Amino acid sequence: MSKHILSRRALLRAGLATAATVPLAGCSAYDFLQDRDNAMRAFMISMNRLTYRAQRLLQSPGQLAQEFTEADIRQDQHPNGVTDPDTPDYLTLKDGNFSAYRLQVDGLVERPTAFSLSDLKAMPSRTQITRHDCVEGWSAIAKWKGARLWPLLQQAGIKPTARYVAFFCADTLELTLDGTGDYYETIDLADARHAQTLLAYEMNDQPLPVAHGAPIRLRLERQLGYKMAKYVMRIEAIDSFAKLGRGRGGYWEDRGYQWYAGI
């Protein structure tokens, strides 16, 4: 009987395979994804919410993603997306070895704050060796160290009305007048609180490389790689992501990927 029961991971992969065909198709048939009033778009969003609720029921809030040993780090991790942002502000920061970098934390917080890289390194941190699973089908194990996200949000005084955390990044994948080509991502507070959710500034015991998101990137070990935003410049606590980008909660989500990519 057990042979006929799909595992949660298998179900997720099936759903992601379907979702992934939308942005890869590059076809006008999927223009409805940009229309917030389209009935098919609304249906897809409702199915995404169903997947999210099912995942939350099956996975305890504090459950950790599998961690590995240094002996398991056998290959370099492939850098995806933009690997060297060329915006003037980012280039200036990189040329100064990120000494002028300031992470802005605002939105639904009592104390909007700007954190330097030194500030982040002085905060409660965690080191973990985890597997990065990409929606393209490859995986790699790496060692990450970074500031835990939740203590940072607590220091800024996150308000009870906040439901999500948005990450705004320096990389631009499309040149658009309205900014919808700028990379952004959102997560809920359950993932923001999770012990393995980091703002990583080290990879394999070295400062985070530019190709992997320097000076900091999000590590969200219980979800797929496209959720782990690189080049994070600003964090905003929000009550809804409906008005960000095209309203689906992230750059790739706006183009057909699932908002919740739990594994």
Side-chain angles (χ1 to χ4, degrees):
M1 184 69 178
S2 61
K3 294 181 180 179
H4 301 288
I5 299 175
L6 286 174
S7 69
R8 180 173 60 85
R9 185 179 289 265
L11 285 168
L12 173 68
R13 285 175 176 166
L16 284 169
T18 301
T21 62
V22 176
L24 293 176
C27 173
S28 60
Y30 296 103
D31 286 348
F32 68 85
L33 289 172
Q34 302 180 41
D35 180 4
R36 297 187 181 187
D37 297 323
N38 185 278
M40 181 56 72
R41 181 181 188 274
F43 172 75
M44 291 181 68
I45 291 173
S46 69
M47 294 305 295
N48 186 26
R49 290 170 180 161
L50 179 62
T51 300
Y52 166 65
R53 293 190 185 101
Q55 289 272 2
R56 283 290 184 244
L57 287 173
L58 291 167
Q59 194 175 59
S60 64
Q63 182 179 340
L64 298 180
Q66 183 179 1
E67 297 193 11
F68 300 85
T69 69
E70 295 198 10
D72 296 309
I73 305 173
R74 301 190 184 97
Q75 64 188 51
D76 292 334
Q77 181 163 314
H78 175 68
N80 267 25
V82 173
T83 57
D84 195 2
D86 59 1
T87 60
D89 288 346
Y90 184 83
L91 291 174
T92 298
L93 289 172
K94 185 175 72 169
D95 289 344
N97 199 29
F98 302 106
S99 61
Y101 171 77
R102 297 294 183 272
L103 174 65
Q104 304 292 327
V105 180
D106 53 31
L108 296 175
V109 297
E110 300 288 352
R111 297 173 291 279
T113 310
F115 297 96
S116 69
L117 199 52
S118 296
D119 292 333
L120 294 175
K121 290 179 179 180
M123 289 185 171
S125 67
R126 180 182 171 92
T127 301
Q128 56 203 30
I129 301 175
T130 51
R131 188 181 64 227
H132 183 105
D133 292 315
C134 181
V135 71
E136 295 172 351
W138 59 266
S139 299
I141 294 172
K143 183 178 183 180
W144 305 94
K145 181 178 180 180
R148 288 190 54 212
L149 177 61
W150 189 244
L152 180 146
L153 294 172
Q154 287 180 308
Q155 183 168 326
I158 187 167
K159 294 182 179 180
T161 51
R163 295 182 58 208
Y164 305 96
V165 181
F167 303 84
F168 299 94
C169 308
D171 46 336
T172 297
L173 277 72
E174 295 179 41
L175 294 176
T176 59
L177 293 176
D178 62 0
T180 56
D182 297 338
Y183 206 93
Y184 81 100
E185 191 52 80
T186 61
I187 63 174
D188 67 6
L189 293 193
D191 277 323
R193 292 187 184 97
H194 193 265
Q196 291 174 315
T197 301
L198 307 180
L199 298 174
Y201 45 74
E202 285 186 14
M203 178 181 178
N204 294 334
D205 296 317
Q206 298 295 324
L208 185 66
V210 168
H212 288 281
I216 62 167
R217 72 170 298 166
L218 176 66
R219 291 303 304 175
L220 191 70
E221 306 301 348
R222 300 194 304 177
Q223 296 204 40
L224 289 171
Y226 66 85
K227 296 292 293 187
M228 303 190 205
K230 302 193 296 183
Y231 315 110
V232 179
M233 299 290 117
R234 184 168 72 89
I235 295 175
E236 182 181 358
I238 57 177
D239 59 2
S240 169
F241 50 72
K243 295 182 180 180
L244 297 181
R246 296 173 183 171
R248 296 198 65 200
Y251 176 87
W252 285 114
E253 292 89 325
D254 286 340
R255 288 152 181 82
Y257 280 56
Q258 295 187 40
W259 173 74
Y260 185 72
I263 52 177

